[in-house]
Amino acid sequence: MDGLGEVLADGEGHTLYQYAKDSAEPSKATCAGPCAVTWPPLVSDAPALVAGVDGGLVGQVTRPDGTKQVTVGGRPVYRYAKDTGPGVALGRNVSADWTAVTPAGKQAAAGPATVGTADVDGLGPVLTDSAGRTLYLFTKDGKGSGKSTCDGACAQKWPPLPADGRITVAGGIDAGLVGRVRRPDGTSQVTVGGWPVYTYAQDTAPGEASGHGAGGTWFAVEPNGCKANPAARPEVRQAVATAPTPGGY
């Protein structure tokens, strides 16, 4: 996951978190009531294991209501109610008490967000995330407005590029164009040229820019921070990406 590395998820792909106020020895879950509405506990009578996770790390703890909550490394694990879908981790920047969980049961340390470039047939050079996915701007945000207006269902379709730590940029991109903005949910998002940037959930591979021109409000972002030609019609192909250079913003 961009900015976090490999983290655990439930059977539907939702990111899993641990709570600093819980304990591992002995296992104890302290998030209940309104807390458990925002951070639903992962409950299961028989937790399913996936490749890469040591079965000896996975266990259960009985919650105050009698349900069995999954533990990893002794700590209970939770989802975040505002995560809008698989691969989303909006909960990582809500509070220092909540962190995503690695396959080893440890806290996932936030790494740098990555802004690279790639050539897309029919569109030319555009910005990408660390996985080579095209980055987009939303004209309703407003350039330089200091806010992102795409949340809820919108953010599920157009996931914001998170900016929890350092932002690494590829050669050929002016680092002065890159910044961050605080979203309504308290998380941070990368901006380029004053525009908050997003990926598109329906882009399934590097080199795709199927979101370009959507609704007349979504456009791929050029390396100069401007929207790509609105009249361009990108073809779907494998992109040739430029790796980021060491350093960051």
Side-chain angles (χ1 to χ4, degrees), residues 1 20 24 42 47 55-56 69-70 80 106 121 132 155 163 183 188 233 236:
M1 180 176 295
L42 180 63
Q69 183 172 359
V70 177
Y80 180 48
K106 305 296 184 182
D121 280 343
R183 292 177 52 79
S188 292
R233 292 295 176 264
V236 177

Side-chain angles (χ1 to χ4, degrees), residues 122-158:
L123 197 58
V126 298
L127 296 181
T128 63
D129 69 0
S130 61
R133 295 170 298 189
T134 300
L135 295 178
Y136 300 86
L137 60 80
F138 184 37
T139 56
K140 291 185 178 181
D141 284 343
K143 181 177 180 179
S145 68
K147 62 182 180 180
S148 169
T149 61
C150 177
D151 54 15
C154 176
Q156 182 172 358
K157 188 174 182 179
W158 301 90

